[in-house]
Short mmCIF file of all heavy atoms in Angstrom, two decimals:
data_model
loop_
_atom_site.label_atom_id
_atom_site.label_comp_id
_atom_site.label_asym_id
_atom_site.label_seq_id
_atom_site.Cartn_x
_atom_site.Cartn_y
_atom_site.Cartn_z
N ARG A 152 68.00 8.99 63.71
CA ARG A 152 67.98 9.65 62.41
C ARG A 152 69.36 10.24 62.09
O ARG A 152 69.99 10.87 62.93
CB ARG A 152 66.93 10.77 62.40
CG ARG A 152 66.76 11.41 61.03
CD ARG A 152 65.67 12.48 61.06
NE ARG A 152 64.36 11.87 61.27
CZ ARG A 152 63.60 11.42 60.29
NH1 ARG A 152 64.04 11.47 59.05
NH2 ARG A 152 62.42 10.91 60.55
N ILE A 153 69.84 9.98 60.90
CA ILE A 153 71.15 10.46 60.48
C ILE A 153 70.97 11.66 59.55
O ILE A 153 70.15 11.62 58.64
CB ILE A 153 71.94 9.36 59.73
CG1 ILE A 153 72.17 8.18 60.67
CG2 ILE A 153 73.26 9.90 59.20
CD1 ILE A 153 72.85 7.02 59.98
N VAL A 154 71.72 12.70 59.79
CA VAL A 154 71.69 13.87 58.92
C VAL A 154 72.91 13.83 58.03
O VAL A 154 74.04 13.91 58.50
CB VAL A 154 71.68 15.18 59.74
CG1 VAL A 154 71.68 16.38 58.80
CG2 VAL A 154 70.46 15.22 60.65
N PHE A 155 72.69 13.68 56.71
CA PHE A 155 73.78 13.73 55.75
C PHE A 155 73.98 15.17 55.31
O PHE A 155 73.02 15.94 55.21
CB PHE A 155 73.45 12.87 54.52
CG PHE A 155 73.46 11.40 54.79
CD1 PHE A 155 72.36 10.79 55.38
CD2 PHE A 155 74.55 10.64 54.45
CE1 PHE A 155 72.36 9.43 55.62
CE2 PHE A 155 74.55 9.28 54.70
CZ PHE A 155 73.46 8.68 55.28
N HIS A 156 75.19 15.53 55.02
CA HIS A 156 75.47 16.88 54.55
C HIS A 156 75.31 16.95 53.04
O HIS A 156 76.20 17.33 52.30
CB HIS A 156 76.86 17.31 54.97
CG HIS A 156 76.99 17.48 56.45
ND1 HIS A 156 76.41 18.52 57.13
CD2 HIS A 156 77.59 16.71 57.39
CE1 HIS A 156 76.67 18.40 58.43
NE2 HIS A 156 77.37 17.30 58.60
N LEU A 157 74.15 16.50 52.60
CA LEU A 157 73.75 16.59 51.20
C LEU A 157 72.40 17.31 51.17
O LEU A 157 71.62 17.18 52.11
CB LEU A 157 73.62 15.21 50.56
CG LEU A 157 74.89 14.38 50.50
CD1 LEU A 157 74.55 12.97 50.06
CD2 LEU A 157 75.89 14.99 49.54
N TYR A 158 72.14 18.01 50.11
CA TYR A 158 70.94 18.83 50.08
C TYR A 158 70.06 18.43 48.90
O TYR A 158 70.55 18.07 47.84
CB TYR A 158 71.32 20.31 49.92
CG TYR A 158 72.18 20.84 51.04
CD1 TYR A 158 73.54 20.61 51.05
CD2 TYR A 158 71.61 21.55 52.08
CE1 TYR A 158 74.34 21.10 52.06
CE2 TYR A 158 72.39 22.05 53.10
CZ TYR A 158 73.76 21.82 53.09
OH TYR A 158 74.53 22.31 54.10
N ILE A 159 68.77 18.52 49.10
CA ILE A 159 67.84 18.23 48.02
C ILE A 159 66.60 19.10 48.21
O ILE A 159 66.12 19.29 49.33
CB ILE A 159 67.44 16.73 48.01
CG1 ILE A 159 66.43 16.48 46.90
CG2 ILE A 159 66.89 16.28 49.34
CD1 ILE A 159 66.11 15.02 46.68
N PHE A 160 66.11 19.64 47.09
CA PHE A 160 64.89 20.41 47.16
C PHE A 160 64.28 20.48 45.78
O PHE A 160 64.88 21.01 44.86
CB PHE A 160 65.17 21.82 47.67
CG PHE A 160 63.92 22.63 47.90
CD1 PHE A 160 63.12 22.40 48.99
CD2 PHE A 160 63.55 23.60 46.99
CE1 PHE A 160 61.97 23.14 49.20
CE2 PHE A 160 62.40 24.34 47.18
CZ PHE A 160 61.61 24.11 48.28
N PHE A 161 63.09 19.91 45.62
CA PHE A 161 62.41 19.96 44.35
C PHE A 161 61.59 21.23 44.25
O PHE A 161 60.77 21.51 45.11
CB PHE A 161 61.51 18.74 44.16
CG PHE A 161 62.27 17.50 43.89
CD1 PHE A 161 62.29 16.48 44.81
CD2 PHE A 161 62.99 17.34 42.72
CE1 PHE A 161 63.01 15.33 44.58
CE2 PHE A 161 63.70 16.20 42.47
CZ PHE A 161 63.71 15.19 43.41
N LEU A 162 61.82 21.96 43.22
CA LEU A 162 61.12 23.22 43.04
C LEU A 162 59.70 23.00 42.51
O LEU A 162 58.74 23.43 43.08
CB LEU A 162 61.90 24.12 42.08
CG LEU A 162 61.28 25.47 41.76
CD1 LEU A 162 61.20 26.32 43.00
CD2 LEU A 162 62.08 26.18 40.68
N GLN A 163 59.61 22.33 41.38
CA GLN A 163 58.32 22.06 40.77
C GLN A 163 58.38 20.74 40.00
O GLN A 163 59.45 20.32 39.56
CB GLN A 163 57.93 23.18 39.79
CG GLN A 163 57.70 24.54 40.40
CD GLN A 163 56.34 24.65 41.11
OE1 GLN A 163 55.55 23.72 41.08
NE2 GLN A 163 56.10 25.77 41.74
N ILE A 164 57.21 20.14 39.82
CA ILE A 164 57.07 18.97 38.95
C ILE A 164 56.28 19.40 37.73
O ILE A 164 55.17 19.93 37.86
CB ILE A 164 56.34 17.82 39.67
CG1 ILE A 164 57.03 17.48 40.99
CG2 ILE A 164 56.26 16.61 38.76
CD1 ILE A 164 58.41 16.94 40.82
N LEU A 165 56.84 19.21 36.56
CA LEU A 165 56.16 19.58 35.31
C LEU A 165 55.47 18.34 34.75
O LEU A 165 56.12 17.36 34.41
CB LEU A 165 57.16 20.15 34.31
CG LEU A 165 58.06 21.28 34.80
CD1 LEU A 165 58.91 21.83 33.66
CD2 LEU A 165 57.25 22.40 35.44
N THR A 166 54.16 18.39 34.67
CA THR A 166 53.38 17.24 34.22
C THR A 166 52.85 17.48 32.82
O THR A 166 52.75 18.62 32.36
CB THR A 166 52.20 16.99 35.17
OG1 THR A 166 51.33 18.13 35.17
CG2 THR A 166 52.69 16.75 36.59
N GLY A 167 52.47 16.39 32.14
CA GLY A 167 51.89 16.53 30.81
C GLY A 167 52.15 15.33 29.92
O GLY A 167 51.36 15.04 29.02
N HIS A 168 53.26 14.62 30.14
CA HIS A 168 53.54 13.42 29.35
C HIS A 168 52.71 12.25 29.86
O HIS A 168 52.44 12.13 31.06
CB HIS A 168 55.03 13.07 29.43
CG HIS A 168 55.91 13.89 28.54
ND1 HIS A 168 55.86 13.80 27.17
CD2 HIS A 168 56.86 14.82 28.83
CE1 HIS A 168 56.73 14.64 26.65
NE2 HIS A 168 57.36 15.27 27.63
N GLN A 169 52.35 11.36 28.94
CA GLN A 169 51.58 10.18 29.28
C GLN A 169 52.45 8.93 29.37
O GLN A 169 51.98 7.86 29.73
CB GLN A 169 50.48 9.95 28.23
CG GLN A 169 49.52 11.12 28.10
CD GLN A 169 48.86 11.49 29.42
OE1 GLN A 169 48.34 10.62 30.14
NE2 GLN A 169 48.87 12.78 29.75
N ASP A 170 53.73 9.06 29.02
CA ASP A 170 54.68 7.96 29.11
C ASP A 170 56.04 8.56 29.47
O ASP A 170 56.20 9.77 29.51
CB ASP A 170 54.75 7.20 27.78
CG ASP A 170 55.29 5.78 27.93
OD1 ASP A 170 55.86 5.48 29.01
OD2 ASP A 170 55.17 4.98 26.98
N ASN A 171 57.01 7.71 29.72
CA ASN A 171 58.32 8.18 30.15
C ASN A 171 58.92 9.18 29.18
O ASN A 171 58.89 9.00 27.96
CB ASN A 171 59.28 7.01 30.33
CG ASN A 171 58.95 6.19 31.55
OD1 ASN A 171 58.06 6.53 32.33
ND2 ASN A 171 59.66 5.09 31.73
N ALA A 172 59.48 10.24 29.74
CA ALA A 172 60.22 11.24 28.97
C ALA A 172 61.64 11.23 29.50
O ALA A 172 61.89 11.68 30.61
CB ALA A 172 59.58 12.62 29.13
N GLU A 173 62.60 10.72 28.72
CA GLU A 173 63.91 10.39 29.25
C GLU A 173 65.03 11.34 28.84
O GLU A 173 65.92 11.62 29.63
CB GLU A 173 64.29 8.96 28.86
CG GLU A 173 63.33 7.92 29.43
CD GLU A 173 63.68 6.51 28.99
OE1 GLU A 173 64.43 6.37 28.01
OE2 GLU A 173 63.20 5.55 29.62
N PHE A 174 65.02 11.81 27.59
CA PHE A 174 66.19 12.54 27.11
C PHE A 174 65.87 13.92 26.52
O PHE A 174 66.66 14.84 26.68
CB PHE A 174 66.94 11.71 26.07
CG PHE A 174 67.52 10.44 26.62
CD1 PHE A 174 66.92 9.22 26.40
CD2 PHE A 174 68.68 10.48 27.38
CE1 PHE A 174 67.45 8.05 26.91
CE2 PHE A 174 69.22 9.32 27.92
CZ PHE A 174 68.61 8.10 27.68
N ALA A 175 64.78 14.04 25.80
CA ALA A 175 64.50 15.28 25.08
C ALA A 175 64.11 16.39 26.06
O ALA A 175 63.03 16.36 26.67
CB ALA A 175 63.37 15.06 24.07
N LEU A 176 64.98 17.38 26.23
CA LEU A 176 64.75 18.45 27.20
C LEU A 176 65.46 19.71 26.73
O LEU A 176 66.60 19.66 26.27
CB LEU A 176 65.28 18.05 28.57
CG LEU A 176 65.06 19.02 29.74
CD1 LEU A 176 63.57 19.20 30.03
CD2 LEU A 176 65.78 18.52 30.99
N ALA A 177 64.78 20.86 26.84
CA ALA A 177 65.38 22.13 26.42
C ALA A 177 64.81 23.27 27.25
O ALA A 177 63.67 23.22 27.71
CB ALA A 177 65.12 22.39 24.93
N MET A 178 65.64 24.29 27.46
CA MET A 178 65.24 25.52 28.12
C MET A 178 65.30 26.66 27.10
O MET A 178 66.25 26.75 26.32
CB MET A 178 66.17 25.84 29.29
CG MET A 178 66.14 24.83 30.41
SD MET A 178 64.65 24.95 31.40
CE MET A 178 65.27 24.50 33.02
N CYS A 179 64.29 27.52 27.12
CA CYS A 179 64.23 28.62 26.17
C CYS A 179 65.25 29.70 26.55
O CYS A 179 65.32 30.11 27.71
CB CYS A 179 62.84 29.21 26.12
SG CYS A 179 62.67 30.62 25.00
N PRO A 180 66.04 30.21 25.59
CA PRO A 180 67.03 31.24 25.90
C PRO A 180 66.44 32.63 26.10
O PRO A 180 67.13 33.52 26.62
CB PRO A 180 67.96 31.21 24.68
CG PRO A 180 67.10 30.71 23.58
CD PRO A 180 66.14 29.74 24.20
N THR A 181 65.19 32.85 25.70
CA THR A 181 64.61 34.19 25.77
C THR A 181 63.58 34.36 26.88
O THR A 181 63.43 35.45 27.43
CB THR A 181 63.94 34.55 24.43
OG1 THR A 181 62.92 33.57 24.12
CG2 THR A 181 64.96 34.58 23.31
N GLU A 182 62.86 33.31 27.22
CA GLU A 182 61.82 33.37 28.25
C GLU A 182 61.86 32.09 29.08
O GLU A 182 62.37 31.07 28.62
CB GLU A 182 60.43 33.53 27.61
CG GLU A 182 60.26 34.79 26.79
CD GLU A 182 58.86 34.90 26.20
OE1 GLU A 182 57.88 34.69 26.94
OE2 GLU A 182 58.75 35.18 24.99
N PRO A 183 61.31 32.13 30.31
CA PRO A 183 61.34 30.93 31.17
C PRO A 183 60.35 29.87 30.71
O PRO A 183 59.31 29.64 31.32
CB PRO A 183 60.99 31.48 32.56
CG PRO A 183 60.21 32.72 32.29
CD PRO A 183 60.77 33.31 31.03
N TYR A 184 60.68 29.22 29.60
CA TYR A 184 59.87 28.13 29.05
C TYR A 184 60.70 26.85 29.05
O TYR A 184 61.92 26.89 28.86
CB TYR A 184 59.42 28.45 27.62
CG TYR A 184 58.19 29.33 27.52
CD1 TYR A 184 58.18 30.61 28.07
CD2 TYR A 184 57.05 28.89 26.86
CE1 TYR A 184 57.06 31.42 27.97
CE2 TYR A 184 55.93 29.70 26.75
CZ TYR A 184 55.94 30.96 27.32
OH TYR A 184 54.84 31.76 27.22
#
Side-chain angles (χ1 to χ4, degrees):
R152 185 178 293 273
I153 298 176
V154 179
F155 290 81
H156 293 288
L157 298 171
Y158 300 81
I159 178 172
F160 185 75
F161 287 112
L162 179 64
Q163 295 283 356
I164 305 295
L165 308 185
T166 62
H168 281 292
Q169 301 304 311
D170 201 345
N171 288 355
E173 298 178 343
F174 295 102
L176 183 64
M178 296 286 213
C179 178
T181 58
E182 299 181 47
Y184 277 60

